Amino acid sequence: MGFIRDLIGVFSRDKPEERHDPLAYDTDDKPLFKEDIERYVLDEAERRRSERSQLELQWQLNSNFLYGNQHCDINLVSGTIEEYEPYEDGSSFEVFNQIEPLFKTRQANLNKVNYAMSVNPGTSETDDIAKAKVSTALLRYKQSETDFDTFIKTATAWADTVGTCGVLCWWDQGKGDKVGEVSVDEIDEEGNPRHRVEYIFSGDVEYGLLTPYEILPESIYKQYMRDQRSVIVEQVMSVEDIYDLYGIDVEGGAEDTYSLSPVEGAGGLGYVATTQKVTSHTLDNAAKVITYFERPSRRYPEGRLIIIIGEELRYYGKLPYERIPITIIRSDEVNGQFFGRSFIQSLIPLQRSYNGLINSIHDYTKRSTLGSWMVEEGAVDDLEEFATNISMPGGIVKYKNGHD
């Protein structure tokens, strides 16, 4: 990121440790201290995470049904996705997934759309029209160079699965052609002088995908990004990725994130099948990176950008853009809500009914062909052996004399 390279120098500076040494002042000359900023952002992240928790359960349920783990439901008491068992032993418990082929068909149709970006001129002036044409050509070149088609396929898949995804855009000064170099004289940690060379690049536009699990808006009841005063991006990153991006070493630990994992449960007629389940798992040697974007306001005319890594404030400064650089993609908009709605949510009741109906047909067919047996008390020594052999072709059933 463009501002990220500027941050590397900031990270290496001495940071205020004492309460009487503020980081900055707002427009009312109110001092802003490091620990207050950390606590404010962390508390806001926790509040927003709690506000979004019910939606996360629906997202997990959508993903489970898409990947075939359909014997589950939301437990509002425990706040988890709960697996449920067949209502009686021996009953069919198969999954006949009709959501996945519908999802793939929908994705195939969406992937046929040509998402060609263009720039419209601001006025009818010849100069504006020429600039718009040049900008459009640059965008089209950027699309082809960065495999934009694959990116948009991933984005639409996320949006169709859970209803929402985001795109974060930034200016990266470390990309593009090398245009020069500059010598830097500095003092290392041991107080010794050292000399290094930094290369200067022309810079380029970059973008990345944000899942809805990483986006914490100010309020889930403000529908559009322009209505949000601030947005928090919460990501779990390995310590190596943090070093590559920010140029700092952090101590890694165990952090929870979401992933697909195999689970037993879908099956019947004596079979056990394995499906994919969306679960929380622990990523080792990682740290949580919280980026707080706040748009310009009367109190903060230049906006704010705050970066916290591992609950420690690493950067505090102005927002380097005119607005929060996040674009939201929704599968289906919900009036008055920031997060969209997936079409899978409407199919879940139908899928449950379909599974129940087909399994009932299987159970009825099985019981009709096998029938039921009446055994006089004391006629059979081993009822378990009798139940096993009675329906087996050529099975031998032992009974006592004097009993039919």
Side-chain angles (χ1 to χ4, degrees), residues 67-201:
Y67 294 113
N69 182 43
Q70 297 177 357
H71 296 303
C72 60
D73 202 357
I74 296 174
N75 188 327
L76 295 177
V77 177
S78 62
T80 59
I81 301 297
E82 187 177 73
E83 308 288 330
Y84 55 83
E85 301 296 330
Y87 59 90
E88 62 180 24
D89 293 338
S91 62
S92 298
F93 205 50
E94 295 280 1
V95 168
F96 305 91
N97 193 353
Q98 301 298 303
I99 294 180
E100 186 175 12
L102 291 175
F103 175 85
K104 290 181 177 179
T105 301
R106 180 180 169 90
Q107 285 294 299
N109 291 330
L110 288 174
N111 292 337
K112 294 178 182 178
V113 179
N114 182 22
Y115 298 94
M117 293 186 289
S118 61
V119 178
N120 296 323
T123 66
S124 59
E125 297 291 333
T126 305
D127 186 52
D128 278 352
I129 294 174
K131 290 178 180 178
K133 290 182 179 180
V134 172
S135 300
T136 298
L138 291 173
L139 283 175
R140 299 286 173 84
Y141 170 74
K142 184 66 180 179
Q143 283 185 254
S144 62
E145 184 188 42
T146 57
D147 196 12
F148 182 78
D149 290 341
T150 301
F151 174 83
I152 202 66
K153 288 178 183 178
T154 306
T156 55
W158 266 105
D160 264 357
T161 303
V162 295
T164 312
C165 77
V167 181
L168 174 64
C169 302
W170 67 91
W171 178 260
D172 193 339
Q173 294 180 351
K175 294 295 180 68
D177 299 329
K178 186 171 71 173
V179 296
E181 59 183 47
V182 60
S183 298
V184 178
D185 295 317
E186 57 186 10
I187 305 297
D188 61 18
E189 296 178 354
E190 298 179 355
N192 300 319
R194 65 180 180 184
H195 175 80
R196 61 185 176 87
V197 176
E198 286 188 356
Y199 296 105
I200 302 174
F201 296 87

Side-chain angles (χ1 to χ4, degrees), residues 185-225:
D185 295 317
E186 57 186 10
I187 305 297
D188 61 18
E189 296 178 354
E190 298 179 355
N192 300 319
R194 65 180 180 184
H195 175 80
R196 61 185 176 87
V197 176
E198 286 188 356
Y199 296 105
I200 302 174
F201 296 87
S202 59
D204 201 353
V205 176
E206 287 296 321
Y207 57 86
L209 180 69
L210 294 176
T211 70
Y213 296 101
E214 299 171 327
I215 303 174
L216 297 170
E218 177 194 18
S219 172
I220 63 173
Y221 302 109
K222 293 182 178 180
Q223 185 167 353
Y224 300 109
M225 179 61 70

Side-chain angles (χ1 to χ4, degrees), residues 177-396:
D177 299 329
K178 186 171 71 173
V179 296
E181 59 183 47
V182 60
S183 298
V184 178
D185 295 317
E186 57 186 10
I187 305 297
D188 61 18
E189 296 178 354
E190 298 179 355
N192 300 319
R194 65 180 180 184
H195 175 80
R196 61 185 176 87
V197 176
E198 286 188 356
Y199 296 105
I200 302 174
F201 296 87
S202 59
D204 201 353
V205 176
E206 287 296 321
Y207 57 86
L209 180 69
L210 294 176
T211 70
Y213 296 101
E214 299 171 327
I215 303 174
L216 297 170
E218 177 194 18
S219 172
I220 63 173
Y221 302 109
K222 293 182 178 180
Q223 185 167 353
Y224 300 109
M225 179 61 70
R226 63 175 178 269
D227 299 326
Q228 302 288 341
R229 181 177 293 270
S230 63
V231 173
I232 293 176
V233 174
E234 185 179 58
Q235 298 169 297
V236 175
M237 303 173 62
S238 67
V239 294
E240 290 82 5
D241 290 339
I242 293 175
Y243 181 80
D244 290 340
L245 186 59
Y246 298 101
I248 60 172
D249 289 314
V250 297
E251 184 176 352
E255 294 289 344
D256 292 334
T257 184
Y258 290 101
S259 69
L260 283 173
S261 59
V263 59
E264 292 183 352
L269 301 175
Y271 293 95
V272 177
T274 301
T275 59
Q276 295 295 319
K277 176 183 177 182
V278 176
T279 57
S280 175
H281 82 286
T282 301
L283 185 64
D284 295 326
N285 200 28
K288 187 172 292 185
V289 179
I290 297 177
T291 307
Y292 176 90
F293 297 96
E294 183 175 340
R295 61 176 169 84
S297 61
R298 175 173 292 187
R299 186 175 298 276
Y300 302 103
E302 296 179 317
R304 289 196 295 175
L305 174 66
I306 304 172
I307 299 177
I308 293 178
I309 303 177
E311 298 191 356
E312 182 181 352
L313 180 66
R314 296 291 183 168
Y315 178 77
Y316 179 91
K318 67 178 183 179
L319 184 70
Y321 309 105
E322 295 182 356
R323 62 180 182 86
I324 298 174
I326 298 175
T327 302
I328 299 299
I329 301 174
R330 300 178 181 89
S331 176
D332 186 18
E333 290 193 353
V334 180
N335 291 333
Q337 290 194 15
F338 179 80
F339 292 103
R341 187 172 186 269
S342 169
F343 78 100
I344 296 176
Q345 190 169 340
S346 301
L347 297 178
I348 288 177
L350 299 175
Q351 181 66 60
R352 283 199 179 108
S353 298
Y354 186 80
N355 288 339
L357 177 62
I358 301 301
N359 281 316
S360 296
I361 294 174
H362 285 181
D363 288 339
Y364 177 78
T365 305
K366 179 176 62 176
R367 291 188 175 97
S368 297
T369 54
L370 295 179
S372 300
W373 295 87
M374 298 180 64
V375 180
E376 184 179 350
E377 185 177 357
V380 177
D381 291 329
D382 192 339
L383 286 176
E384 291 186 3
E385 182 183 2
F386 176 82
T388 301
N389 295 336
I390 193 64
S391 60
M392 184 182 300
I396 299 175

